[in-house]
Amino acid sequence: MDVSLIVVVVVITALAFDFTNGFHDTANAMATSIATGALKPKEAVGIAAVLNLVGAFLSIEVAKTISSGIVDETRIGPAVIFGGLVGAIVWNLLTWLVGLPSSSSHALFGGLIGAVWVASGSDAVRFTTVLEKVVVPAVASPLIAGLVAMIATFLAYRITHRTGEDTRRRGFRVGQVVTASLVALAHGTNDAQKTMGVITLTLITAGSLPAAAGPPLWVIISAGSAIALGTYLGGWRIIRTMGRGITDIGPPQGFAAEASAAAVILTSSHVGFALSTTHVVSGGVIGSGVGRRLAEVRWSTAGRMVVAWALTLPAAALVGAGAGWVAGTGAAGTVIVAIAAAAICGGIYWLSRRNPISAHNVNDAATV
Amino acid sequence: MHINWNGLGEVLVVALTAGVGLVVLAALGINAFDYRTRALDRGTSTVVATATSALCAVACVALIGYGIYLTVNK
């Protein structure tokens, strides 16, 4: 039957998701450096893109599960993966349109949960694992990063309060660029391999690859390139919110925020938490605002962001459920979902053109 | 439901130490560098300031290097 069609569609959709993952998350590494002028906008996204690409090749351990155990993997077929990816892409684009940083991993998890649910029933979703592996780290990690950034920011200003303004700015800007690059590299090793895992497992299910095979070279190259290209195009709307919207960032704050985020990301991946770079960096930026002078943070923007985080799982699940259900009906259904998804993405892009944000005007305002 | 409190605690302690440590080291180094510049202008001794800023720089590079090592050797 149409196994090959759905496999081809899944591979293309996975790369499209990888691309949205890239431009959605450029802000995590580079928004603070762009906001403080440590890097010019185009330089910043260029560095992030290269490091994401390098990270994709560096990563030794490619994701062996699509869902990290949050759904019953034996019930995942290509239609479910396709539905999950569509849900994740649509949610990523919607949050990009309104300039809200939200987690691409949560979007993917949400899409998969929805698609599995309609395909195999609610017992295929392991809700306890969702709580333990997704929800708890999602709540804890931004709080930890925020606390670390708050203390670090406070001490950075305290220690250098008599230092010449020029030396201080230049010194912290260097530190900022280095820590931001570390975040970008860590992102590449984490997120590009997620897409590689999705494509590889799809090929294995379809019988194109032997069980337990690693990703073929073309998968590594295309996944790395998709995330790097997305990163380079830069999600300027999200960069504006992250860099200017939450708080007014000075170089010491930007440095403290990225240093804290890098520390939390690296420690967590060591302990084995699958957490969201977006949540951690947002927490770090908020903490750096609190640590400088209390109440400098725009809590309304931070609040909208947190609402978007909470909605990510259920919203992507809804879209994923619908898409997975229609795609599961056969080749015609798959084509219908693909066309509908492309139309929705085109529509969101068209809406974004009414208020375009680019490298040239990203720092001009604090809101999207 | 099992919440990995030990893991969360570990992340908190290590991230707090490494993150705050890196920023404090950098701040001390920048401070010392600034002091060195002013001492040069005044014509007074710069030995301590130079050594402090160099030491801080080396410590920061080591911490970042360890971070890169962790990223690459996951």
Side-chain angles (χ1 to χ4, degrees):
Chain A
M1 169 313 342
D2 42 37
V3 171
S4 54
L5 170 76
I6 182 89
V7 169
V8 171
V9 170
V10 167
V11 170
I12 295 172
T13 318
L15 291 176
F17 167 73
D18 205 22
F19 175 80
T20 66
N21 194 163
F23 79 71
H24 219 275
D25 292 2
T26 322
N28 297 341
M30 291 304 168
T32 58
S33 297
I34 293 171
T36 62
L39 287 169
K40 293 201 183 74
K42 279 286 181 189
E43 280 172 5
V45 294
I47 293 173
V50 170
L51 289 171
N52 266 283
L53 187 63
V54 171
F57 281 92
L58 276 181
S59 178
I60 312 161
E61 195 187 333
V62 169
K64 292 199 174 51
T65 65
I66 290 175
S67 68
S68 311
I70 58 167
V71 297
D72 184 350
E73 298 258 342
T74 57
R75 317 247 197 124
I76 292 183
V80 167
I81 300 177
F82 178 55
L85 286 167
V86 168
I89 292 173
V90 169
W91 182 250
N92 262 356
L93 284 178
L94 272 175
T95 45
W96 163 75
L97 178 67
V98 293
L100 286 176
S102 64
S103 164
S104 300
S105 341
H106 279 205
L108 183 59
F109 288 154
L112 285 172
I113 290 172
V116 168
W117 195 327
V118 291
S120 307
S122 63
D123 61 318
V125 183
R126 302 205 180 105
F127 290 100
T128 343
T129 316
V130 173
L131 265 180
E132 286 168 11
K133 285 204 169 175
V134 182
V135 178
V136 169
V139 173
S141 61
L143 289 176
I144 295 177
L147 178 73
V148 176
M150 185 183 80
I151 298 173
T153 303
F154 176 78
L155 291 174
Y157 278 101
R158 180 94 201 138
I159 293 170
T160 61
H161 75 289
R162 268 196 278 245
T163 311
E165 183 54 37
D166 197 45
T167 318
R168 179 164 84 172
R169 194 169 47 230
R170 269 190 299 163
F172 281 121
R173 276 182 176 176
V174 172
Q176 229 192 325
V177 174
V178 174
T179 45
S181 301
L182 191 55
V183 172
L185 185 70
H187 186 265
T189 59
N190 274 325
D191 283 31
Q193 55 133 293
K194 237 178 277 166
T195 302
M196 289 180 213
V198 169
I199 297 177
T200 308
L201 290 170
T202 309
L203 293 173
I204 292 173
T205 345
S208 311
L209 280 178
L217 187 63
W218 68 267
V219 172
I220 301 178
I221 293 176
S222 54
S225 308
I227 202 165
L229 186 66
T231 306
Y232 183 70
L233 286 181
W236 301 109
R237 311 177 85 81
I238 299 170
I239 291 176
R240 177 182 281 182
T241 303
M242 193 83 115
R244 300 290 320 278
I246 300 174
T247 184
D248 296 311
I249 303 177
Q253 290 167 288
F255 177 52
E258 297 294 336
S260 314
V264 172
I265 292 165
L266 293 179
T267 319
S268 313
S269 83
H270 200 66
V271 174
F273 286 127
L275 45 70
S276 156
T277 319
T278 309
H279 295 168
V280 174
V281 175
S282 311
V285 171
I286 294 174
S288 77
V290 178
R292 186 178 179 183
R293 235 177 297 135
L294 278 164
E296 208 193 12
V297 176
R298 289 183 199 92
W299 290 107
S300 59
T301 306
R304 285 201 316 144
M305 211 168 64
V306 172
V307 170
W309 294 354
L311 285 178
T312 297
L313 271 181
L318 263 181
V319 182
W325 180 66
V326 177
T329 59
T334 306
V335 173
I336 289 172
V337 172
I339 293 173
I344 292 172
C345 296
I348 293 174
Y349 180 75
W350 178 77
L351 281 175
S352 79
R353 299 313 297 166
R354 297 198 300 190
N355 170 28
I357 297 174
S358 68
H360 306 291
N361 65 358
V362 64
N363 275 340
D364 294 355
T367 53
V368 172
Chain B
M1 190 174 88
H2 168 75
I3 295 180
N4 186 355
W5 289 111
N6 287 339
L8 283 178
E10 193 183 331
V11 173
L12 176 64
V13 172
V14 177
L16 205 57
T17 316
V20 173
L22 179 68
V23 173
V24 165
L25 280 169
L28 289 174
I30 290 167
N31 222 355
F33 188 79
D34 188 57
Y35 188 85
R36 179 180 177 273
T37 317
R38 276 182 285 155
L40 274 176
D41 290 343
R42 282 197 308 263
T44 50
S45 165
T46 59
V47 177
V48 176
T50 309
T52 311
S53 61
L55 213 65
C56 290
V58 168
C60 286
V61 168
L63 254 178
I64 297 278
Y66 185 61
I68 296 174
Y69 169 81
L70 279 183
T71 314
V72 174
N73 285 292
K74 243 185 326 204

